[in-house]
Amino acid sequence: MPYFSDQTFQNKSTSDFQVGEYDSCTFVGCNFSNLNFHGASFEDCTFKDCDLSNAKVSGVSFQQVKFERCKVLGVHFNSANPFLLEFNFQNCQLDYCNFFNLKLKKSRFINSRLLEVDFTQAELQEASFQGSDLSGTVFDRSNLEKSDFRQAIHFRIDPEINKVKGAKFDLEGLPGLLEKWGIKVQ
């Protein structure tokens, strides 16, 4: 399998992508929508201004991977290789992605849009969702201990079925925690 290290790939498309091991590589302005990444691995890589919508990531390794201003719609990250999985999303669109049952401790979802995302049974200790829109996002039996939800909007988290000890919320986020009981904060 080809090995790529410290390289920058710009404006590539699905037909240009070569399955291989990518270490400390940067992808800029690439359109990888609907691409099957099966067999690839990414370690310490960065994707900037890329489109990975509906990409297939079954068995793909993502270790300390950053996404900046990327469009990542409908990706089933729950099928990726779970070993040392760690993400950092900033200013991304992650609508309809699936992170079911993944260990994502300390992952970052900053100033991003996560509409209808599934975090059921995910381990998100010390994760950050600061400034993100979490409309319709599902947290069900998720571990959110010490996670940061400050400036996040539209989230609904049931403290009875999710672990939230030490999680950070601002006052504007209280309705998302109290909705289950019909309590209104004004």
Side-chain angles (χ1 to χ4, degrees), residues 110-148:
I110 308 294
N111 297 321
S112 295
R113 191 174 88 179
L114 294 92
L115 304 183
E116 307 286 332
V117 172
D118 187 358
F119 286 109
T120 300
Q121 297 179 12
E123 303 221 2
L124 293 156
Q125 301 94 315
E126 300 178 67
S128 180
F129 294 91
Q130 284 186 295
S132 290
D133 183 349
L134 301 167
S135 297
T137 291
V138 176
F139 295 101
D140 182 7
R141 295 163 285 151
S142 304
N143 188 336
L144 304 170
E145 292 175 338
K146 298 182 181 176
S147 288
D148 194 342

Side-chain angles (χ1 to χ4, degrees), residues 12-141:
K12 300 294 182 187
S13 67
T14 54
S15 59
D16 301 319
F17 183 77
Q18 189 174 3
V19 172
E21 294 180 35
Y22 292 86
D23 184 14
S24 302
C25 291
T26 303
F27 299 86
V28 181
C30 297
N31 183 352
F32 294 143
S33 62
N34 296 303
L35 178 63
N36 187 346
F37 283 99
H38 184 74
S41 70
F42 301 95
E43 185 174 343
D44 294 316
C45 291
T46 301
F47 291 84
K48 295 180 180 180
D49 302 303
C50 293
D51 185 353
L52 286 88
S53 297
N54 298 309
K56 311 294 183 276
V57 296
S58 179
V60 175
S61 178
F62 293 99
Q63 297 177 7
Q64 296 181 329
V65 177
K66 296 178 185 173
F67 296 87
E68 299 173 7
R69 298 175 309 277
C70 291
K71 185 177 178 182
V72 188
L73 306 178
V75 176
H76 291 262
F77 287 105
N78 58 316
S79 66
N81 182 346
F83 184 69
L84 297 177
L85 191 66
E86 188 177 329
F87 293 113
N88 184 330
F89 294 98
Q90 293 188 330
N91 300 302
C92 291
Q93 190 176 350
L94 296 160
D95 304 353
Y96 314 110
C97 286
N98 192 329
F99 296 93
F100 172 78
N101 201 33
L102 289 177
K103 290 177 173 58
L104 298 169
K105 189 174 182 178
K106 296 185 180 180
S107 287
R108 304 280 175 250
F109 302 87
I110 308 294
N111 297 321
S112 295
R113 191 174 88 179
L114 294 92
L115 304 183
E116 307 286 332
V117 172
D118 187 358
F119 286 109
T120 300
Q121 297 179 12
E123 303 221 2
L124 293 156
Q125 301 94 315
E126 300 178 67
S128 180
F129 294 91
Q130 284 186 295
S132 290
D133 183 349
L134 301 167
S135 297
T137 291
V138 176
F139 295 101
D140 182 7
R141 295 163 285 151

